[in-house]
Amino acid sequence: MKKVLLTTLLAVAGLGLFAQKVDKAKELLKANKLKEAKTEIDNFTADAKNAKAAEGFYVKGKTYAAIANDSVIAATVPDARWTAFESLKKYVELDDKIVSLMIDNYKPIMDVYQGYYKVGAAEFNQNKFPEAHVNFKNCLAVSEYMASKNWTNIKLDTTVILYTGISAEKGGKPDEAAMYYGRLADAKVQGEGMVEIYKWLTDYHARKKDDANMKKYLSLGKEVYPKDPFWNVYELDNLREGTDKNALFTKYEQVVAENPTDFAVLYNYAVELYTAGYATEVSQRPANSVEMIAKSETNMKKVIEMKNDYTNAYLVLGQIAYNRGVDINNDMKAIRPPAGGKLKPEELKKKDDLRKAAMVKFDEAIPHFEKVDQLLGDKGKLKM
């Protein structure tokens, strides 16, 4: 019984000593004597006997948070803010009731969060992107820790994640940027400028030859921002680089059906059809060349109906008619008499009919070219 009593008395005495040391650190901190408070609390937490003294680590967290916010002293204490964060986590680990933290209305942990954000934002505005990335990354770690403890109703800190990604990208770390942007896109975030994240990710994975993720983020972007024209344009660009023209034209038909008043898409479709269907050498044209060129002409006329001052459309229409005249003229020239002989009457008639048909097409081209001159003739030097 005496032995137990003696042990209890020693424990109480030790508790009193512990309280005195922590109280002294608190007083120094309250008096803003940060260096002295740091020395006192460092000595306390360094002692193995105090490894489970929750209040000691709480005071250490507050002390280092205060040091991090003092630009003069912080310069002499590297990573003071992170030490504050780690000390506060240790405190929570030792005291799940977190009475001291609640009494302070979570201010110490919020000071760490806001400190990282403030410094990161300042560095970002000074184009110090690698430094900003580190601070935003640490800020995010604090944010996620608070969310894991249900101390905040913000489960996805979109602003911090965004700037962590942007600073990584601008700091030359696109792979890290993709990780942070991906978190936002996977959560289907919306808001001003957020559409660019989906576009960036689509292009990033395309350049990485990661077809699955390229399609994933293109699909997500189209789901969240269905009216943005980027998605269809990007899909068309990808198909254009391939060899399957039928797939490209099928996609154009879909896009035109979805956007019947988009004259630019219809114009591009008409150009694609004509480019694929026409070649100077007739033998190099596809079997359905006539149908493709006819459809190109029909679509180009629809473009003019929607936008009657679209110069490029008139130029292509003139080109289609003129080149058709050239084709007919070549057919006419191909009708030749045999060596030392003459053309038969029916051959002469056919040759004359073809000559007239070629002139009809040349005449058909003239109004389109005149329209181009009307629209551009008085503008002097033209921009590309």
Side-chain angles (χ1 to χ4, degrees), residues 94-110:
L94 295 170
D95 180 8
D96 58 2
K97 293 185 173 60
I98 60 168
V99 175
S100 296
L101 187 60
M102 288 193 292
I103 290 174
D104 284 335
N105 201 27
Y106 300 92
K107 185 178 183 300
I109 194 74
M110 283 303 301

Side-chain angles (χ1 to χ4, degrees), residues 57-69:
F57 286 97
Y58 182 67
V59 174
K60 183 173 181 177
K62 291 181 67 174
T63 301
Y64 273 81
I67 289 172
N69 287 331

